[in-house]
Amino acid sequence: MNSALALSSASIHETLTRSTSNTCDAIASAVALLSSISLDDVGGAALLDRHENKFLVPAPSIAELLGCCAAGYRVLDIRGRRLCRYSTTHFDTVNLAFYRAHQTGRLPRRKVRLRTYVDTGAHFLEVKEKGKTGRTSKTRVALVGDAANDNELAALLVERSPEHPLRASMHVDYQRVTLVSMSGGLHQR
């Protein structure tokens, strides 16, 4: 019975891996067709204060959706990469106050995270706040060397957040495509 279950689990894992690989290939192909913009051209600082729109899209539809964005958006290209890798540890209070504020739609609200931009090797402690108008503002402190230096990180967390003590609550590694509106004025991502 256990071996049949193991075979079944392995078969499911193989199917999911193949499906994910095909979807990632389709996304990479669609992103390669978009016009690009560098971080210098977009003005990295402009991305710290912006209006964000985030969407949950079924994976098989992403490549088609990206094709529809070609006329109005450019894809952020960092050192030749358009699918950029991120490693993020989110921090929250013991009773998950940041998470609860997000889930209930409370404004203003904040999040505190340690983010590694894998492709550039940059590490930041970031505090992201969404104001009553829905505009997002991000402040960050560069961390030099070992991003997980406990003493430096603890001091920064206390200094940057009135809600303390904070603790690591979730870690996520992922890839993201960043689209920048060509309509001018307000940067949208």
Side-chain angles (χ1 to χ4, degrees), residues 93 98 110 112 127 129 156-166:
T93 63
F98 299 157
R110 71 172 51 207
V112 177
V127 178
E129 297 178 288
L156 286 169
L157 285 174
V158 170
E159 175 187 321
R160 297 285 175 177
S161 181
E163 304 91 347
H164 56 74
L166 298 180

Side-chain angles (χ1 to χ4, degrees), residues 47-97:
L47 293 177
L48 297 179
D49 184 28
R50 62 185 181 252
H51 181 76
E52 291 184 332
N53 293 303
K54 296 179 182 178
F55 304 95
L56 185 59
V57 178
S61 302
I62 294 173
E64 181 181 352
L65 180 62
L66 286 170
C68 295
C69 293
Y73 293 86
R74 292 194 285 175
V75 64
L76 184 62
D77 187 305
I78 300 175
R79 297 181 181 173
R81 291 192 65 97
R82 294 176 176 204
L83 288 169
C84 298
R85 296 174 294 166
Y86 297 80
S87 183
T88 304
T89 300
H90 290 268
F91 294 85
D92 207 335
T93 63
V94 173
N95 66 349
L96 302 174

Side-chain angles (χ1 to χ4, degrees), residues 105-121:
R106 191 182 86 202
L107 293 176
R109 64 176 179 256
R110 71 172 51 207
K111 66 171 80 170
V112 177
R113 64 190 179 201
L114 176 65
R115 170 154 293 168
T116 299
Y117 295 83
V118 176
D119 300 310
T120 64

